[in-house]
């Protein structure tokens, strides 16, 4: 039955081992895969703990590790307090409002201040770290350090890794001046991970590297041989006049993420010049390379999604190349 | 807890009633909502049956109706045959390959030939209908008529409804000449439904109209008061310098569909000049209108997603305004 998400276990293991060789300790972000079996492989390869995006994800992965960082500016509630009695938790924070709320739950947990290193999403500008940290410390909360997501690494030609190092370095100086010791300075994204500054960062939180995807391929972060996840799809329709085929994999399994610089909505394994030019919910339109014969209706092809994280969130389980099936245990844990 | 999908039951009922007043009989597409309770409201309002996109969806909705059209060029298998023993099924077809495969399953089902009326996705050009229909009839399969999806209605200023009528009218003449009686000529999408040609179409398959969304709002298909589904989100971060807030609703609940003409990734109920300018998985970035005070961290807002169909596919259940919760029974039924 197609469409189905398939994982190449050898490539997955190789990707995990390769990133584990990083000089900077890893706390991989498991929102990418949401699968306990993969988190166990990451921990066995030396990861110091896991990163998640939500309390719901943390609840799932509390069965796998006792050290979880929720890299998100949480609006906390007692569900967090309950979880903190099961595992060692750290949370993100970028406002005095969220810190005040955190200080009121049953069991306040330590936090990392989120710094904006250029992605302009959440996080405070580094010049606001001093004032915010002082206010948070006055609440009696424990500040362990700072983190940033250099998300502008998802644009070609960006200086994300150096921006990340600069922001964390400055935040680190400010926090040290406030008397905080054994600082955590946490950064990282898959595109910037290999350029991350080991003289500044104390941990890295890449996620996508376990699988890679068409975005990483087009950013040059990985090669075709590093793609560990594909969506197997069946050709259900074709148009000889348009030299295009329609696959039974659309946005409901591929997602519809497409940065402006991407060449389409995904790539086809083994057909480097094909492009997924459009996705609707259950149709993927593929422009086949001129001169190459169209695949037959009924033929199966393997699609490399643009962005792998949403894909895992769209299926209940995945097929693994060793014949097993893994449940996407944290699917939908928003 | 946010983010959460919320349905306004009064508006939902009003949208269902309004479309049910169409001169053309309805066979609504339930891939939009995937919720049996809503399908029952549509059937109670006079729908002649339901449309789905996949065999998995048909299996779920076979508990709700005994008349289902799978509006998709299926690559059939015996799962379809098994289902055809439970309910009256019709499937889409646009190739002799798929028809041949359909003829080989245990219990071949009747089909509608898919015609491309300008969307250039699946479907044959109308001039190929005659040859394809003859081949299909030679296989001994039953051809009941033709269908099209005028998906180019999702571009402002398109002539989708008249293209749809022209394609179905021509296909209808061809099929009548081949001796097919009581023809089904099925069209429809929410943006084109009210302009659909009742002198040609024998049924309409709109889906989104039950909820509407930011795309429909910006296409002018609906007003703000017709929006029956929103995603409630919490402001988790804000940047006074950028006059933006970050919501805890990102692409993992809003989806990331964004046609080139859309003003962003979604709208904010009650704040018409705000725009969701970016979504990452768990963050929605909202540019707040200049001059309007930013909401506080911790405040809740209601987001109108660009495209409502993927949203339902991202949650296990929804909150209804009468206090009940509905399970999204066909979530993930790819």
């Amino acid at each position: 039955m197609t469409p189905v998400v398939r994982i190449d276990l050898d490539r997955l293991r190789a990707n995990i081992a390769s990133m584990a060789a990083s000089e900077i300790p890893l706390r991989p972000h498991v929102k990418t895969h949401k699968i306990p079996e993969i988190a166990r492989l990451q921990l066995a390869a030396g990861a110091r703990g896991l990163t998640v995006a939500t309390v719901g994800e943390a609840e799932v992965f509390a069965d796998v590790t006792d050290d979880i960082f929720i890299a998100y500016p949480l609006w906390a509630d007692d569900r967090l307090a309950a979880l903190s009695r099961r595992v060692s938790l750290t949370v993100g924070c970028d406002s005095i409002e969220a810190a005040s709320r955190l200080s009121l739950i049953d069991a306040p947990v330590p936090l990392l201040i989120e710094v904006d290193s250029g992605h302009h999403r959440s996080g405070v500008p580094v010049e606001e770290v001093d004032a915010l940290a002082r206010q948070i410390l006055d609440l009696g909360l424990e500040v362990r350090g700072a983190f940033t997501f250099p998300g502008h690494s998802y644009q070609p030609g960006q200086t994300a890794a150096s921006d990340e190092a600069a922001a964390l370095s400055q935040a680190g100086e400010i926090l040290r001046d406030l008397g905080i010791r054994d600082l955590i300075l946490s950064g990282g994204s898959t595109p910037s991970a290999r350029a991350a500054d080991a003289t500044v960062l104390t941990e890295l939180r890449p996620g996508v590297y376990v699988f890679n995807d068409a975005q990483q391929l087009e950013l040059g972060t990985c090669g075709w041989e590093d793609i560990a996840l594909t969506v197997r799809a069946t050709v259900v329709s074709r148009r000889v006049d348009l030299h295009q085929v329609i696959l039974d994999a659309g946005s409901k399994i591929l997602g519809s993420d497409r940065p402006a610089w991407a060449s389409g909505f995904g790539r086809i394994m083994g057909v480097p010049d094909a492009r997924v030019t459009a996705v609707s919910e259950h149709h993927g339109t593929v422009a086949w390379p001129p001169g190459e014969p169209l695949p037959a209706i009924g033929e199966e092809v393997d699609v490399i999604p643009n962005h792998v994280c949403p894909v895992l969130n769209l299926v209940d389980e995945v097929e693994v190349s060793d014949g097993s099936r893994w449940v996407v245990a944290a699917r939908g844990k928003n």
Side-chain angles (χ1 to χ4, degrees), chain A:
Chain A
M1 288 291 299
T2 59
V4 62
V5 173
R6 307 174 86 223
I7 291 175
D8 183 312
L9 188 54
D10 291 337
R11 289 181 177 188
L12 174 74
R13 286 180 188 278
N15 291 340
I16 289 172
S18 166
M19 189 65 83
S22 163
E23 194 180 341
I24 306 170
L26 290 189
R27 182 184 291 279
H29 209 314
V30 298
K31 74 174 164 60
T32 297
H33 56 71
K34 304 169 176 298
I35 295 175
E37 284 85 348
I38 298 179
R40 288 196 185 95
L41 293 175
Q42 293 173 304
L43 291 162
R48 58 159 55 176
L50 300 175
T51 303
V52 301
T54 66
V55 176
E57 288 180 355
E59 288 168 342
V60 170
F61 286 96
D63 293 337
V64 178
T65 179
D66 57 6
D67 186 350
I68 295 177
F69 172 42
I70 306 178
Y72 195 82
L74 271 193
W75 190 245
D77 59 26
D78 280 327
R79 204 171 144 203
L80 181 73
L83 184 62
S84 74
R85 285 185 276 271
R86 288 176 59 200
V87 289
S88 168
L89 280 182
T90 313
V91 302
C93 183
D94 78 352
S95 70
I96 186 61
E97 292 89 342
S100 300
R101 175 141 170 135
L102 182 63
S103 73
L104 296 175
I105 68 169
D106 270 358
V109 301
L111 58 85
L112 301 188
I113 291 176
E114 184 172 5
V115 183
D116 176 10
S117 57
H119 186 42
H120 305 326
R121 197 175 64 177
S122 47
V124 293
V126 73
E127 52 272 22
E128 295 179 17
V129 169
D130 183 68
L132 177 60
R134 287 174 190 272
Q135 289 180 295
I136 293 173
L137 291 168
D138 283 347
L139 289 169
L141 290 170
E142 182 185 350
V143 177
R144 291 229 171 125
F147 80 108
T148 193
F149 175 64
H152 52 317
S153 62
Y154 279 82
Q155 294 285 335
Q158 285 290 319
T159 55
S162 55
D163 294 346
E164 167 186 70
L168 289 178
S169 170
Q170 291 174 61
E173 278 179 44
I174 292 164
L175 296 176
R176 273 187 207 99
D177 285 348
L178 292 173
I180 297 168
R181 296 289 163 261
D182 300 322
L183 265 184
I184 297 169
L185 296 173
S186 175
S189 66
T190 293
S192 61
R194 284 181 173 80
D197 189 338
T199 68
V200 174
L201 276 69
T202 69
E203 70 175 29
L204 264 182
R205 309 184 317 276
V208 169
Y209 75 96
V210 294
F211 301 131
N212 293 305
D213 54 25
Q215 286 191 148
Q216 303 298 329
L217 202 58
E218 297 195 354
L219 285 169
T221 311
C222 75
W224 290 82
E225 67 286 1
D226 304 316
I227 300 290
L229 181 148
T230 50
V231 174
R232 181 149 288 186
T234 300
V235 175
V236 292
S237 176
R238 50 180 235 169
R239 281 285 287 271
V240 174
D241 56 334
L242 305 174
H243 209 59
Q244 79 181 18
V245 297
I246 303 295
L247 306 178
D248 64 354
S251 64
K252 278 186 177 162
I253 192 156
L254 297 174
S256 51
D257 282 7
R258 182 184 178 177
W261 50 262
S263 72
F265 289 92
R267 303 292 288 263
I268 306 296
M269 191 63 92
V271 192
D273 293 330
R275 290 294 184 283
V276 181
T277 55
V279 285
S280 43
E281 289 160 62
H282 298 279
H283 302 72
T285 304
V286 184
W288 213 253
E292 290 190 35
L294 289 179
I297 291 177
E299 206 169 299
E300 294 185 351
V301 301
D302 290 323
V303 185
I304 306 169
N306 259 5
H307 185 194
V308 78
C309 305
V311 173
L312 279 294
N313 202 41
L314 288 164
V315 292
D316 292 332
E317 47 178 36
V318 297
E319 282 184 13
V320 189
S321 55
D322 67 354
S324 59
R325 298 181 75 87
W326 288 340
V327 173
V328 187
R331 181 202 56 75
K333 300 297 184 190
N334 283 321

